[in-house]
Amino acid sequence: MAAVGGAIVEKRKLALQGQVIEPLRHRRLFLAGDAAHIVPPLGGKGMNLAIHDAGALAGTLGAYYREGRDPSALERYSALRLPHIWRAQEFSHAMLQLLHLPLGEELEAARFARKLQDARLRQLATPSTFARDFARNYVGIT
Ligand SMILES: Cc1cc2nc3c(=O)[nH]c(=O)nc-3n(C[C@H](O)[C@H](O)[C@H](O)COP(=O)(O)OP(=O)(O)OC[C@H]3O[C@@H](n4cnc5c(N)ncnc54)[C@H](O)[C@@H]3O)c2cc1C
């Protein structure tokens, strides 16, 4: 069956950058998911982080009400989630550098960056500690 053509109604360039809003709480406002952090879309981390944020926030609010509305219970959410968020940022950023060349590089700098990418990709293609750690980070095993 032939594919049916259609009009392209919108074109956008996706900004491959990360952002984290810290802390994740301001008074009665709690941030979770993309509202709290944007990760470069290279490691499949955004939705997974959002789901874990929601679970942690539910646990935090539950603890707050169980523990007699102790405000210190509310501080735990940000402290609990930020290390995971920054770890995902670090991995996604490393993926970005592995798969994309920086914009606007001079020819020689771009050639150097490409050679570094090749060296890293070759390491991933052979059994090594680097390749094993990369695989564990990619699937989210901590
Ligand atoms: C093309 C693409 C591919 C992706 N692939 C992956 C992947 O493979 N793996 C992965 O882990 N992540 C992936 N992500 C990231 C992932 O989709 C997001 O990180 C995740 O959906 C964030 O969840 P969220 O609930 O924070 O936000 P969202 O999923 O954006 O949910 C926010 C919701 O709020 C609604 N909303 C907004 N404003 C209002 C309002 N004023 N009132 C009421 N409702 C409102 C929106 O309509 C939306 O339904 C991808 C993202 C994109 C764009």
Side-chain angles (χ1 to χ4, degrees):
M1 195 164 69
V4 180
I8 296 172
V9 293
E10 186 183 343
K11 282 187 188 176
R12 272 192 291 169
K13 282 188 182 169
L14 188 65
L16 297 179
Q17 61 193 20
Q19 186 184 16
V20 181
I21 296 177
E22 298 184 77
L24 303 176
R25 172 190 167 222
H26 179 70
R27 297 186 185 149
R28 295 170 62 189
L29 173 72
F30 292 82
L31 296 177
D34 280 7
H37 41 72
I38 300 292
V39 286
L42 292 148
K45 300 293 182 195
M47 184 186 65
N48 289 291
L49 280 179
I51 291 169
H52 282 285
D53 287 351
L57 183 53
T60 299
L61 294 176
Y64 172 71
Y65 287 108
R66 276 196 310 276
E67 294 168 17
R69 302 189 183 206
D70 175 4
S72 70
L74 298 177
E75 300 298 334
R76 284 181 223 149
Y77 169 64
S78 201
L80 184 68
R81 291 304 301 149
L82 281 172
H84 297 282
I85 291 164
W86 278 111
R87 187 166 173 189
Q89 286 287 3
E90 190 281 327
F91 181 76
S92 300
H93 191 72
M95 285 284 282
L96 183 62
Q97 289 178 321
L98 185 69
L99 300 174
H100 293 265
L101 287 174
L103 283 176
E105 287 282 3
E106 296 294 325
L107 196 62
E108 184 53 31
R111 194 190 71 82
F112 190 80
R114 170 67 70 194
K115 288 285 183 183
L116 289 178
Q117 285 181 336
D118 288 347
R120 285 193 203 107
L121 286 167
R122 266 199 302 278
Q123 281 188 72
L124 284 180
T126 51
S128 63
T129 308
F130 175 61
R132 196 191 60 220
D133 286 350
F134 179 91
R136 292 173 72 86
N137 271 321
Y138 195 64
V139 297
I141 300 170
T142 53

